[in-house]
Amino acid sequence: MNIIIVLFFGAVAGISSYFNNLACAGNGLPSLSGKALSITVAAALGALAVWAIRIATHLILRNTLTRSGVRERYARYDSWCYSVFLLSVSGAAGVQLSVPVVYLSALAFLAAQFFFVISLIKKEPKGGEIFISLSWVSFLFLVSGMAALIYEIVWQRVLFAELGINIESVTIIVSLFMFGLGVGSLVGGVFSNRYPNRLPQLFIFCELAIGVFGIISLPLIKFVSRRTLDLPLPQITLVVFALLALPTIFMGATLPILVTYLYRHYKHVGRSVSKLYFFNTLGSAAASLITVDVLFVFFGQQSTVFIAAGLNFLVGILVFRYTKALKTAKPVTEPVREIEESRPAANPAQAVPFYLALVISGVAGYISLSQEILWVRAISYATSTWPQVFGHILGFFLLGVALGSLLGKRFCEKRNLSPLLYLAWVFLIGSIAYYVSIPLFSAAFTYSRGLGIFCSYLILALVSCIFGSVLPLLSHFAIKPGTPVGVSLSRIYVANIIGSTMGPLFTGFYLMDRFSLEMNVLVVSVSGMAVAGILFLFSSGKPGIKTAFGLATALLIAGAILIHPRMFHQVLEKMLFDESYSAAKGFKYVNQTRSGIITVEPEPEGDVIYGGGGYDGTFNVNPVSDANFISRVYMLPALHPAPAEVLEIGLSGGSWAWVLSKHPDIKKLDVVEINPGYSQIIRNYPVNEEIFSDSRIVFHFDDGRRWLNRNPDRKFDFILMNTTWHWRSNTTNLLSTEFLTLAKQHLNPGGVIYYNATHSEDVIYTAAKVFKYVTTYRTFVAAGDSPFQMDADTKRRRISMFASHGKPIFDAADTASARVLDEMVHSDISNKQDAYLARNNLDAISDDNMLTEFKKITGKNKKDIKGRLYRWYNPECSWNAAP
């Protein structure tokens, strides 16, 4: 009966969520005629999702609720906690767009579970002792994990803004963060061995130190980064490590300290490691999702960091109260089954040599992080780099790792387990599942983008769950009785982190620059299968069976290599287009490097170029056909009387640089592009390729904001940015008031910055906050501190000066060309600053608030929804709203 109730709640939640999406997309619930199949699928997916949550919850609480009476009563009545998922029905009144209903439901569900479990425990004898139990300490470690991941996400964004978001900066930041955790693990192992009676106090000190650093972290990172920006790459690496060393060392030290503490009570390495690793990683997973979907929506970077610091201080205070309570009460050490601690000595066949455990831990870390990096590349491309993608991928990845640690704990308690054989199956099944996952989720995208995202996150969590069991298992079977647990664990953990660090360094920085996404998936998958085959040969068992497993693995590797071209045929097309479209066309050119994926779609009016899955423009320089709104760049001489020195940020297909090079006033053009792959694509187009032979054009492959910071003495008459959509990841770095202030410092007197607002009026409002004069042309905004006062005749004369190979681009004898020229000449470019500043429904974009990436609502009916902040109530998205 309980499962029926749970499935009913899930089905209703799935259907109402589907209705919410329909209502939001079109302002009001449209006719449901012909949608019976979709409604059925939504109900099934909702029921499946809630059923999976129930399974995961029972798995977690089975390892937490140790008293049989509590477990029995929980299993009897817990199904009613799932009624909170009916909150999705609130979308009928338009509530769902304020805080995503999934988080409202999740928060309500966690609250219901917490108070339900506490009420059951309180009814037990000595139930009040829950807050001095080891489970309470483990829960506090979950809160600590939440704080750590909040810091990681915010610090990465701040460092990207200061150091650039090219692959070098990304690799340095991610690698050094993980390296600091590894060093901290070693430090924690040493201190846990030296001060075994002060373990809670050491944990308190770590939390308070992290919190103190967190409070001052953002101003400190910005101050140090700006004063070391011009240093060579090795020195910048040292600076970043110095910045992150203190907090990451303290973060890494907490695991071995608490494992040593729990081990003193449980006397079981696998149980201690898996329990703490689970809670900490689960907290990190929750923080990854909440940060990008809730905290960034309602708060800025600084406030989010303050929240993380508050969590650190809260944990420190609660652990301090815990230690004080222990002085007057005996700690609750939940009863556990008697498990022989000296199992490796009693059964040598189960012992894993410590050196081998280090190697396996490192290899598992490398393969797992390489998979995550490739997932980020694939899902970011498929979603055109939604800003939430990184947090979502990290969250589901860590969720899988957390559940995998519980899986590892169960196997640690099996008396007849062959650990190497189990690990061999982990590597084999995990690698096969990962290999087929990319084609599966790309196929799902051809039917529905939502279905594709759902499948990708689900498969990602399943694969990471498989590999998540490795660390607890290795710790249990490789740490010998009598050796310091904290020290030994720290070494295994460091080996895992070193392997994980090699993911961004070797796979992200080297392999992805030499092989495509598809080939890298094959390389990583085959590597995992090869490790499985080796472990099969090293495992205990009959030689014939081990040899058979090894040969079977070799056949699987050969099969994967043989079917790879067919298996991954047009996966990039499937991620962006429906099945019939991708099969009919296919991309004309594909360029894949560590800097990103660039694809070109053939079109009669001009091939379309995509960068990272997002529209980047069209190969067209003709203002009459205007397939890429190229007329916007032809307006440049009407906005500045003599633009001799011009900076263009964003090369893309090179059409805009070609146009700029055809005006005689422009004496020098600097082009900054973050992805060198665009220059290779351009060489396939003879017209656009002309820019490479123009001596006036200088190319810089760098992050645009970082290039300006590194060249403070360069001044320009005109800065042009035909960059990407305002809602894509990290576009804040080129739209914020901080960036516009920086650009203003690089303008000569009378200089103009001219860039794409991509229909966001907040972008124009932000320009009006920084510059005295602001005007618009089509989707572009022009801003400067001098008025745009050119008369019509002057504009016509100056625009008509564009010429290619001695022939005017605007031919007065051509009717279509004359019409386009007239439209440009008579367009309104009067000052609009006062009009925009007078509006109260717009907001200025800042590095801190990341407004266009996380805070604004967008929808199909942009006139009704565009430009509004998330609110608690949005009547336009209620089910009965008028379309």
Side-chain angles (χ1 to χ4, degrees), residues 588-589 591 598 600 607 609 619 651-655 676-694 697 699 701:
K588 188 174 182 178
Y589 301 110
N591 180 280
I598 304 171
V600 178
D607 293 349
I609 186 169
F619 287 96
L651 174 62
S652 187
S655 298
Y678 284 103
S679 63
Q680 301 172 26
I681 290 287
I682 292 171
R683 297 187 186 279
N684 295 301
Y685 296 85
V687 173
N688 292 33
E689 191 184 17
E690 293 178 7
I691 62 177
F692 297 119
S693 58
D694 193 322
I697 304 178
F699 297 93
F701 293 102

Side-chain angles (χ1 to χ4, degrees), residues 24 97-98 100 292-293 296-298 387-388 726-728 732 735 759-763 765-766 839-846 849-859 862 865-871 874:
C24 176
L97 281 181
S98 304
V292 297
D293 286 332
F296 281 173
V297 170
F298 293 99
Q388 295 85 357
H726 62 275
W727 48 262
R728 294 182 74 184
T732 295
L735 298 175
H759 303 287
S760 170
E761 294 187 307
D762 292 300
V763 172
Y765 180 84
T766 305
R839 293 178 57 176
N840 58 12
N841 65 331
L842 300 177
D843 302 273
I845 306 163
S846 70
N849 65 30
M850 304 166 290
L851 184 76
T852 59
E853 294 183 58
F854 295 100
K855 299 186 187 310
K856 286 291 182 172
I857 299 171
T858 56
K862 291 184 172 62
I865 303 176
K866 185 189 68 174
R868 293 182 178 173
L869 291 170
Y870 275 94
R871 297 177 299 165
N874 189 4

Side-chain angles (χ1 to χ4, degrees), residues 635 638-639 752-755 757 763-764 767-768 771-784 786-789 795 827-834 836:
M635 274 294 290
L639 298 168
V752 175
I753 183 170
Y754 184 51
Y755 59 107
V763 172
I764 307 172
F771 293 92
K772 295 179 181 178
Y773 298 91
V774 173
T775 191
T776 59
Y777 176 70
R778 304 187 77 166
T779 64
F780 263 55
V781 54
S786 298
F788 305 101
Q789 294 180 331
K795 285 194 288 184
S827 60
D828 177 19
I829 56 171
S830 60
N831 186 23
K832 300 177 175 63
Q833 187 208 32
D834 291 340
Y836 274 94

Side-chain angles (χ1 to χ4, degrees), residues 207-380:
E207 290 298 310
L208 295 181
I210 296 169
V212 170
F213 181 88
I215 290 176
I216 64 172
S217 60
L218 297 197
L220 178 63
I221 291 173
K222 293 176 182 178
F223 175 82
V224 174
S225 298
R226 290 170 184 174
R227 280 154 183 79
T228 58
L229 190 63
D230 294 326
L231 295 177
L233 188 61
Q235 295 181 36
I236 289 179
T237 302
L238 292 176
V239 169
V240 174
F241 177 69
L243 276 171
L244 300 180
L246 181 65
T248 54
I249 286 174
F250 282 121
M251 290 174 188
T254 54
L255 180 61
I257 288 172
L258 285 187
V259 165
T260 303
Y261 182 70
L262 262 66
Y263 173 77
R264 293 173 59 190
H265 298 278
Y266 288 138
K267 298 300 180 184
H268 190 270
V269 177
R271 179 180 175 87
S272 303
V273 174
S274 63
K275 185 168 187 175
L276 285 173
Y277 197 52
F278 163 75
F279 276 102
N280 188 251
T281 309
L282 184 65
S284 299
S288 299
L289 299 171
I290 292 172
T291 299
V292 297
D293 286 332
V294 178
L295 297 182
F296 281 173
V297 170
F298 293 99
F299 305 100
Q301 293 176 353
Q302 185 65 73
S303 297
T304 300
V305 164
F306 285 159
I307 290 172
L311 293 177
N312 289 130
F313 294 139
L314 176 64
V315 170
I317 293 170
L318 292 177
V319 175
F320 176 75
R321 292 188 61 184
Y322 167 83
T323 58
K324 297 287 286 185
L326 288 183
K327 294 179 179 179
T328 57
K330 185 178 180 180
V332 180
T333 59
E334 297 86 345
V336 297
R337 297 196 309 272
E338 190 65 30
I339 300 173
E340 187 179 3
E341 171 57 21
S342 59
R343 181 187 300 142
N347 185 3
Q350 287 191 311
V352 177
F354 196 76
Y355 74 88
L356 183 59
L358 296 179
V359 173
I360 295 173
S361 180
V363 171
Y366 169 72
I367 290 177
S368 187
L369 257 291
S370 295
Q371 290 177 347
E372 183 192 2
I373 288 169
L374 297 176
W375 270 114
V376 171
R377 170 63 62 91
I379 300 177
S380 295

Side-chain angles (χ1 to χ4, degrees), residues 131-149:
F131 295 108
I132 56 171
S133 68
L134 298 179
S135 291
W136 177 243
V137 177
S138 302
F139 173 77
L140 295 180
F141 200 36
L142 178 149
V143 180
S144 174
M146 292 184 67
L149 254 291

Side-chain angles (χ1 to χ4, degrees), residues 381-399:
Y381 171 84
T383 59
S384 302
T385 59
W386 283 354
Q388 295 85 357
V389 160
F390 175 75
H392 288 174
I393 293 175
L394 188 59
F396 281 94
F397 176 83
L398 292 172
L399 175 63

Side-chain angles (χ1 to χ4, degrees), residues 557-875:
I557 292 173
I561 294 172
L562 288 174
I563 68 171
H564 183 72
R566 179 177 292 274
M567 190 82 168
F568 282 76
H569 179 63
Q570 289 194 341
V571 291
L572 296 180
E573 287 88 344
K574 292 174 183 176
M575 292 178 194
L576 293 190
F577 310 114
D578 61 47
E579 188 174 17
S580 60
Y581 183 93
S582 61
K585 282 193 174 181
F587 287 127
K588 188 174 182 178
Y589 301 110
V590 176
N591 180 280
Q592 298 194 56
T593 64
R594 64 193 182 201
S595 298
I597 301 175
I598 304 171
T599 54
V600 178
E601 171 197 6
E603 283 289 349
E605 295 184 356
D607 293 349
V608 177
I609 186 169
Y610 297 88
Y615 173 81
D616 257 354
T618 301
F619 287 96
N620 171 64
V621 296
N622 186 349
V624 175
S625 63
D626 208 21
N628 51 346
F629 300 133
I630 196 70
S631 59
R632 293 171 297 182
V633 70
Y634 282 104
M635 274 294 290
L636 184 148
L639 298 168
H640 192 285
E645 296 260 351
V646 177
L647 170 67
E648 179 186 0
I649 298 178
L651 174 62
S652 187
S655 298
W656 290 62
W658 185 93
V659 173
L660 292 176
S661 70
K662 302 307 174 184
H663 199 280
D665 279 352
I666 298 176
K667 308 304 180 185
K668 185 177 181 181
L669 172 61
D670 286 275
V671 179
V672 181
E673 170 56 54
I674 198 169
N675 189 344
Y678 284 103
S679 63
Q680 301 172 26
I681 290 287
I682 292 171
R683 297 187 186 279
N684 295 301
Y685 296 85
V687 173
N688 292 33
E689 191 184 17
E690 293 178 7
I691 62 177
F692 297 119
S693 58
D694 193 322
S695 60
R696 296 173 300 162
I697 304 178
V698 180
F699 297 93
H700 313 273
F701 293 102
D702 198 354
D703 176 88
R705 182 164 173 166
R706 182 172 69 174
W707 189 88
L708 286 173
N709 277 320
R710 282 183 164 178
N711 295 271
D713 298 330
R714 293 297 307 274
K715 302 285 186 179
F716 302 93
D717 301 311
F718 207 99
I719 297 177
L720 171 69
M721 299 196 305
N722 185 25
T723 48
T724 191
W725 296 95
H726 62 275
W727 48 262
R728 294 182 74 184
S729 181
N730 291 299
T731 50
T732 295
N733 294 349
L734 294 178
L735 298 175
S736 65
T737 54
E738 291 85 351
F739 172 77
L740 292 181
T741 301
L742 171 65
K744 186 176 183 179
Q745 296 167 3
H746 287 266
L747 289 174
N748 289 319
V752 175
I753 183 170
Y754 184 51
Y755 59 107
N756 202 343
T758 59
H759 303 287
S760 170
E761 294 187 307
D762 292 300
V763 172
I764 307 172
Y765 180 84
T766 305
K769 281 283 193 177
V770 177
F771 293 92
K772 295 179 181 178
Y773 298 91
V774 173
T775 191
T776 59
Y777 176 70
R778 304 187 77 166
T779 64
F780 263 55
V781 54
D785 286 337
S786 298
F788 305 101
Q789 294 180 331
M790 209 173 291
D791 59 65
D793 290 338
T794 304
K795 285 194 288 184
R796 182 183 299 276
R797 177 179 57 82
R798 291 191 48 73
I799 296 174
S800 299
M801 293 169 66
F802 280 105
S804 175
H805 302 288
K807 181 181 179 181
I809 292 177
F810 289 92
D811 186 356
D814 181 77
T815 304
S817 179
R819 176 182 52 80
V820 172
L821 181 59
D822 283 341
E823 184 274 330
M824 296 172 66
V825 167
H826 294 98
S827 60
D828 177 19
I829 56 171
S830 60
N831 186 23
K832 300 177 175 63
Q833 187 208 32
D834 291 340
Y836 274 94
L837 291 180
R839 293 178 57 176
N840 58 12
N841 65 331
L842 300 177
D843 302 273
I845 306 163
S846 70
D847 287 349
D848 184 74
N849 65 30
M850 304 166 290
L851 184 76
T852 59
E853 294 183 58
F854 295 100
K855 299 186 187 310
K856 286 291 182 172
I857 299 171
T858 56
K860 182 177 290 186
N861 193 336
K862 291 184 172 62
K863 290 183 179 179
D864 291 333
I865 303 176
K866 185 189 68 174
R868 293 182 178 173
L869 291 170
Y870 275 94
R871 297 177 299 165
W872 289 101
Y873 176 61
N874 189 4

Side-chain angles (χ1 to χ4, degrees), residues 16 45 73 75 104 108 113 187 287 369 408 477 481 553 604 624 639 643 805 865:
S16 57
L45 289 176
R73 288 198 300 275
L104 283 174
Q113 289 284 332
V187 172
L369 257 291
F477 287 102
T553 303
V624 175
L639 298 168
H805 302 288
I865 303 176

